[in-house]
Amino acid sequence: MKTQMKEILSIIWKYSRLWGCMKLLNSVLTAIIVPVNTVLLQRIVNDILILLQENHFHFILNTHLVIFIAGVFSEVLLTGLDRYVEIRFDMQITDRLEKEIVRKYRKLDYSCYEDPQTYDSISRISQNPGEKIRMIFWKLCEMVRIIILLIGYLLIFQQASPLLVGIFLLFLPPILYENYKAGCLWYDLYSRQTADERKIAYYERLLTGKTSLAELKIYQATDYIEKLWKKQSSKLRKEKEETLIRVEKTLLRKSTFAALWYLCSGGFLLYGVITGRISVSMFLVLFQTILNIVDTVNGLLETFGNFSREIQEMSYLHSFFALKNIPERKGCIDRPVRRIRFEHVCFSYPNAGTETLHDISFELDLSKSTAIVGENGSGKTTIIKLLCGLYQPTSGRILFDEYDIRNLNNGEIGKAIKVVFQDFFQYELTIRENIGFGNLARISHDLELQEVLDAVHLEELKKLGLDTSLGKLEHEGIDLSRGQWQRLAVGRIFLNDTGYAVLDEPTASVDPVSEYNMYQLFYLLLRSRGSLMISHRLASAKMADHILVLKNGTIAEQGNHTELMKNQELYHELFCRQAEWYQ
Ligand code: ADP
């Protein structure tokens, strides 16, 4: 918790030190004013009583009254200022922190997404950390304010009688302890419930998400998920109720201590008044002070009940910024790449027990078309991921001509190859932007964009216009079928007439007839620049100049269709098996 607190304070110092210091100063001043005003009030009451005793019925403005009035106005002013500081602090920290977060996202190593715990901090970081930091800092300032207040009250007691301080010090520790205990109970509950809350949030997403809900309805599984949700929610509710009862018991003990303290101090004060050791004005002020202290201590629970939980939550911020960045690589390719070579490449996914690729060696001629085929899970997509530099081989090397991929940054790899992944992204933006991301320099070249739509057989979108919004983000946005989205994603590659085109199952969501036509088209369009295609449909791989056949993470065979068919091995077997399907 200490580290997290340090981290939060250093963030505040880095991003909003002016408004942070203003807030702290404000809290200190507000805390000082209250006991000072209390003392002044006592003096004023004293002055009035003396004046009344002396039969002076006109009340003269004396120094105490002037300072008291100034104090009251300062309090009002500081409260107003506090709101202003809060808004400025919020705006500044949110703005600057979010910029830093976006910067970090861009530098984040892809492998970070593999570890569930890391992934958790990546997703949580998007939930307005600036606002949370402000809340924590505000509570910290409140703690400073309360401590100063209590010291001030103690000094007032000291003025009246050391015994009063003694009574105060006797009861304050158990009151604070019970308060702290109540806070801990809530914190323990939170720690236990985090994972369950995540599950509930997931069930809620399933029950409210468009695609998931449609599928659940078809499978008539909505009730099933709802049951899981109810079971988990009632478990949480029960735990919360149990904690609530324990917290209430703790608070009852705290209130009993507070009442005892209140009665003892009150009794002592009354005795002081009766014996003439304490003036009436002092009695009134001290009595009011005791009430204020009870309020202040009660406020402690409200402020700090969730404090440790909130600080704990911010550990995500720390782990997010500590995540591994993509290493700085300065390698530059000064001419078009002609060959990519995998040399004895082995690869295991981070945190995975088994090896996915075993000692793979092959060469890609970037002026030719290559297909990778193989059964599901044989490692086809993994090869593409390595090719794009998303992961580095565990051993062996990948060479872009003579350049080792380990020394090339993403920009250099991106210049050499253009990829459409199987789990391509659907940008809920315009048709223009969806294709334009393939080559931002051409995003306003309408004619070229329209040619791309023709090339991927999306004439219906061409009719709608390039600036039509897609998805549900805009009111007038239109939704596309999965197949249409996929063609659009493939279109991005065609807006780029340079670079080796890499397509991972580019027709997975397209019907078989369109699929065959699309492959023919792809090979034709990409003839001039070379391509690598993954396909589970061997009829389409047949058109490629070269075919790599993968089996359990190794290259089982390679060659062109005729050669592989002659071999009568795995390719032949897969091809014949698939051909039977279509007969
Ligand atoms: P293919 O594209 O041939 O269907 P993949 O390359 O996607 O196969 O996957 C190859 C193997 O690697 C599979 O056994 C799969 O379970 C595993 N795998 C894929 N992605 C990950 C990952 N992120 N973490 C761990 N294992 C993975």
Side-chain angles (χ1 to χ4, degrees), residues 226-240:
E226 201 179 326
K227 249 186 231 154
L228 288 181
W229 175 74
K230 274 187 186 154
K231 193 173 148 201
Q232 205 65 248
S233 311
S234 72
K235 182 180 162 227
L236 286 199
R237 205 177 38 249
K238 223 167 123 195
E239 282 176 1
K240 256 185 201 146

PDB file of all heavy atoms in Angstrom, residues 226-240:
ATOM      1  N   GLU A 226     -28.458 -16.518 -16.872  1.00  0.00           N
ATOM      2  CA  GLU A 226     -29.112 -15.703 -15.839  1.00  0.00           C
ATOM      3  C   GLU A 226     -29.000 -16.406 -14.481  1.00  0.00           C
ATOM      4  O   GLU A 226     -28.782 -15.769 -13.456  1.00  0.00           O
ATOM      5  CB  GLU A 226     -30.571 -15.484 -16.214  1.00  0.00           C
ATOM      6  CG  GLU A 226     -31.146 -14.270 -15.501  1.00  0.00           C
ATOM      7  CD  GLU A 226     -32.595 -14.033 -15.893  1.00  0.00           C
ATOM      8  OE1 GLU A 226     -32.939 -14.304 -17.050  1.00  0.00           O
ATOM      9  OE2 GLU A 226     -33.359 -13.596 -15.010  1.00  0.00           O
ATOM     10  N   LYS A 227     -29.144 -17.739 -14.531  1.00  0.00           N
ATOM     11  CA  LYS A 227     -29.039 -18.509 -13.278  1.00  0.00           C
ATOM     12  C   LYS A 227     -27.630 -18.359 -12.686  1.00  0.00           C
ATOM     13  O   LYS A 227     -27.464 -18.148 -11.476  1.00  0.00           O
ATOM     14  CB  LYS A 227     -29.323 -19.995 -13.564  1.00  0.00           C
ATOM     15  CG  LYS A 227     -30.648 -20.430 -12.942  1.00  0.00           C
ATOM     16  CD  LYS A 227     -30.818 -21.920 -13.105  1.00  0.00           C
ATOM     17  CE  LYS A 227     -32.170 -22.217 -13.711  1.00  0.00           C
ATOM     18  NZ  LYS A 227     -32.226 -23.473 -14.436  1.00  0.00           N
ATOM     19  N   LEU A 228     -26.627 -18.475 -13.569  1.00  0.00           N
ATOM     20  CA  LEU A 228     -25.235 -18.312 -13.098  1.00  0.00           C
ATOM     21  C   LEU A 228     -25.067 -16.926 -12.471  1.00  0.00           C
ATOM     22  O   LEU A 228     -24.453 -16.760 -11.429  1.00  0.00           O
ATOM     23  CB  LEU A 228     -24.261 -18.441 -14.266  1.00  0.00           C
ATOM     24  CG  LEU A 228     -24.058 -19.821 -14.868  1.00  0.00           C
ATOM     25  CD1 LEU A 228     -23.046 -19.768 -15.996  1.00  0.00           C
ATOM     26  CD2 LEU A 228     -23.561 -20.794 -13.798  1.00  0.00           C
ATOM     27  N   TRP A 229     -25.644 -15.943 -13.157  1.00  0.00           N
ATOM     28  CA  TRP A 229     -25.538 -14.558 -12.702  1.00  0.00           C
ATOM     29  C   TRP A 229     -26.207 -14.405 -11.332  1.00  0.00           C
ATOM     30  O   TRP A 229     -25.650 -13.817 -10.414  1.00  0.00           O
ATOM     31  CB  TRP A 229     -26.181 -13.641 -13.754  1.00  0.00           C
ATOM     32  CG  TRP A 229     -26.239 -12.205 -13.346  1.00  0.00           C
ATOM     33  CD1 TRP A 229     -25.186 -11.340 -13.302  1.00  0.00           C
ATOM     34  CD2 TRP A 229     -27.390 -11.475 -12.916  1.00  0.00           C
ATOM     35  NE1 TRP A 229     -25.607 -10.112 -12.875  1.00  0.00           N
ATOM     36  CE2 TRP A 229     -26.958 -10.163 -12.626  1.00  0.00           C
ATOM     37  CE3 TRP A 229     -28.731 -11.786 -12.748  1.00  0.00           C
ATOM     38  CZ2 TRP A 229     -27.818  -9.180 -12.184  1.00  0.00           C
ATOM     39  CZ3 TRP A 229     -29.586 -10.800 -12.310  1.00  0.00           C
ATOM     40  CH2 TRP A 229     -29.137  -9.524 -12.028  1.00  0.00           C
ATOM     41  N   LYS A 230     -27.411 -15.004 -11.212  1.00  0.00           N
ATOM     42  CA  LYS A 230     -28.159 -14.879  -9.947  1.00  0.00           C
ATOM     43  C   LYS A 230     -27.400 -15.558  -8.815  1.00  0.00           C
ATOM     44  O   LYS A 230     -27.322 -15.041  -7.711  1.00  0.00           O
ATOM     45  CB  LYS A 230     -29.537 -15.525 -10.095  1.00  0.00           C
ATOM     46  CG  LYS A 230     -30.560 -14.564 -10.669  1.00  0.00           C
ATOM     47  CD  LYS A 230     -31.933 -15.192 -10.631  1.00  0.00           C
ATOM     48  CE  LYS A 230     -32.952 -14.330 -11.336  1.00  0.00           C
ATOM     49  NZ  LYS A 230     -34.066 -15.106 -11.836  1.00  0.00           N
ATOM     50  N   LYS A 231     -26.850 -16.753  -9.132  1.00  0.00           N
ATOM     51  CA  LYS A 231     -26.127 -17.517  -8.104  1.00  0.00           C
ATOM     52  C   LYS A 231     -24.940 -16.703  -7.587  1.00  0.00           C
ATOM     53  O   LYS A 231     -24.757 -16.548  -6.380  1.00  0.00           O
ATOM     54  CB  LYS A 231     -25.626 -18.834  -8.733  1.00  0.00           C
ATOM     55  CG  LYS A 231     -25.152 -19.837  -7.718  1.00  0.00           C
ATOM     56  CD  LYS A 231     -24.859 -21.151  -8.414  1.00  0.00           C
ATOM     57  CE  LYS A 231     -23.731 -21.829  -7.693  1.00  0.00           C
ATOM     58  NZ  LYS A 231     -23.064 -22.811  -8.507  1.00  0.00           N
ATOM     59  N   GLN A 232     -24.201 -16.161  -8.539  1.00  0.00           N
ATOM     60  CA  GLN A 232     -23.013 -15.380  -8.175  1.00  0.00           C
ATOM     61  C   GLN A 232     -23.426 -14.113  -7.418  1.00  0.00           C
ATOM     62  O   GLN A 232     -22.822 -13.769  -6.406  1.00  0.00           O
ATOM     63  CB  GLN A 232     -22.275 -15.009  -9.469  1.00  0.00           C
ATOM     64  CG  GLN A 232     -20.807 -14.753  -9.307  1.00  0.00           C
ATOM     65  CD  GLN A 232     -20.044 -15.980  -8.887  1.00  0.00           C
ATOM     66  OE1 GLN A 232     -19.555 -16.022  -7.774  1.00  0.00           O
ATOM     67  NE2 GLN A 232     -19.940 -16.969  -9.737  1.00  0.00           N
ATOM     68  N   SER A 233     -24.506 -13.452  -7.895  1.00  0.00           N
ATOM     69  CA  SER A 233     -24.940 -12.206  -7.241  1.00  0.00           C
ATOM     70  C   SER A 233     -25.413 -12.489  -5.829  1.00  0.00           C
ATOM     71  O   SER A 233     -25.126 -11.720  -4.909  1.00  0.00           O
ATOM     72  CB  SER A 233     -26.105 -11.537  -7.970  1.00  0.00           C
ATOM     73  OG  SER A 233     -25.848 -11.439  -9.281  1.00  0.00           O
ATOM     74  N   SER A 234     -26.159 -13.609  -5.662  1.00  0.00           N
ATOM     75  CA  SER A 234     -26.690 -13.837  -4.315  1.00  0.00           C
ATOM     76  C   SER A 234     -25.551 -14.223  -3.369  1.00  0.00           C
ATOM     77  O   SER A 234     -25.587 -13.885  -2.190  1.00  0.00           O
ATOM     78  CB  SER A 234     -27.814 -14.878  -4.314  1.00  0.00           C
ATOM     79  OG  SER A 234     -27.272 -16.129  -4.540  1.00  0.00           O
ATOM     80  N   LYS A 235     -24.500 -14.868  -3.901  1.00  0.00           N
ATOM     81  CA  LYS A 235     -23.329 -15.181  -3.077  1.00  0.00           C
ATOM     82  C   LYS A 235     -22.699 -13.855  -2.600  1.00  0.00           C
ATOM     83  O   LYS A 235     -22.395 -13.686  -1.412  1.00  0.00           O
ATOM     84  CB  LYS A 235     -22.326 -15.986  -3.905  1.00  0.00           C
ATOM     85  CG  LYS A 235     -21.106 -16.395  -3.129  1.00  0.00           C
ATOM     86  CD  LYS A 235     -20.149 -17.182  -4.015  1.00  0.00           C
ATOM     87  CE  LYS A 235     -18.774 -17.203  -3.379  1.00  0.00           C
ATOM     88  NZ  LYS A 235     -17.713 -16.890  -4.295  1.00  0.00           N
ATOM     89  N   LEU A 236     -22.559 -12.940  -3.528  1.00  0.00           N
ATOM     90  CA  LEU A 236     -21.966 -11.639  -3.174  1.00  0.00           C
ATOM     91  C   LEU A 236     -22.834 -10.897  -2.164  1.00  0.00           C
ATOM     92  O   LEU A 236     -22.340 -10.323  -1.206  1.00  0.00           O
ATOM     93  CB  LEU A 236     -21.822 -10.760  -4.422  1.00  0.00           C
ATOM     94  CG  LEU A 236     -20.729 -11.096  -5.417  1.00  0.00           C
ATOM     95  CD1 LEU A 236     -20.436  -9.906  -6.307  1.00  0.00           C
ATOM     96  CD2 LEU A 236     -19.449 -11.477  -4.710  1.00  0.00           C
ATOM     97  N   ARG A 237     -24.156 -10.952  -2.422  1.00  0.00           N
ATOM     98  CA  ARG A 237     -25.077 -10.221  -1.541  1.00  0.00           C
ATOM     99  C   ARG A 237     -24.989 -10.776  -0.116  1.00  0.00           C
ATOM    100  O   ARG A 237     -24.935 -10.021   0.851  1.00  0.00           O
ATOM    101  CB  ARG A 237     -26.498 -10.330  -2.084  1.00  0.00           C
ATOM    102  CG  ARG A 237     -27.360  -9.170  -1.639  1.00  0.00           C
ATOM    103  CD  ARG A 237     -28.754  -9.172  -2.195  1.00  0.00           C
ATOM    104  NE  ARG A 237     -29.357 -10.480  -2.289  1.00  0.00           N
ATOM    105  CZ  ARG A 237     -29.612 -11.096  -3.430  1.00  0.00           C
ATOM    106  NH1 ARG A 237     -29.313 -10.520  -4.579  1.00  0.00           N
ATOM    107  NH2 ARG A 237     -30.175 -12.285  -3.442  1.00  0.00           N
ATOM    108  N   LYS A 238     -24.927 -12.122  -0.047  1.00  0.00           N
ATOM    109  CA  LYS A 238     -24.863 -12.763   1.269  1.00  0.00           C
ATOM    110  C   LYS A 238     -23.599 -12.343   2.007  1.00  0.00           C
ATOM    111  O   LYS A 238     -23.640 -11.979   3.184  1.00  0.00           O
ATOM    112  CB  LYS A 238     -24.876 -14.291   1.102  1.00  0.00           C
ATOM    113  CG  LYS A 238     -25.788 -14.958   2.094  1.00  0.00           C
ATOM    114  CD  LYS A 238     -26.045 -16.370   1.730  1.00  0.00           C
ATOM    115  CE  LYS A 238     -25.632 -17.255   2.889  1.00  0.00           C
ATOM    116  NZ  LYS A 238     -25.516 -18.638   2.538  1.00  0.00           N
ATOM    117  N   GLU A 239     -22.501 -12.382   1.287  1.00  0.00           N
ATOM    118  CA  GLU A 239     -21.226 -11.980   1.904  1.00  0.00           C
ATOM    119  C   GLU A 239     -21.294 -10.524   2.358  1.00  0.00           C
ATOM    120  O   GLU A 239     -20.805 -10.166   3.414  1.00  0.00           O
ATOM    121  CB  GLU A 239     -20.083 -12.140   0.897  1.00  0.00           C
ATOM    122  CG  GLU A 239     -19.637 -13.572   0.743  1.00  0.00           C
ATOM    123  CD  GLU A 239     -18.573 -13.745  -0.337  1.00  0.00           C
ATOM    124  OE1 GLU A 239     -18.164 -12.734  -0.947  1.00  0.00           O
ATOM    125  OE2 GLU A 239     -18.186 -14.887  -0.573  1.00  0.00           O
ATOM    126  N   LYS A 240     -21.937  -9.700   1.520  1.00  0.00           N
ATOM    127  CA  LYS A 240     -22.043  -8.275   1.854  1.00  0.00           C
ATOM    128  C   LYS A 240     -22.882  -8.100   3.112  1.00  0.00           C
ATOM    129  O   LYS A 240     -22.554  -7.305   3.995  1.00  0.00           O
ATOM    130  CB  LYS A 240     -22.688  -7.512   0.691  1.00  0.00           C
ATOM    131  CG  LYS A 240     -21.667  -6.728  -0.092  1.00  0.00           C
ATOM    132  CD  LYS A 240     -22.279  -5.876  -1.154  1.00  0.00           C
ATOM    133  CE  LYS A 240     -21.195  -5.573  -2.183  1.00  0.00           C
ATOM    134  NZ  LYS A 240     -21.622  -5.464  -3.530  1.00  0.00           N
TER     135      LYS A 240
END
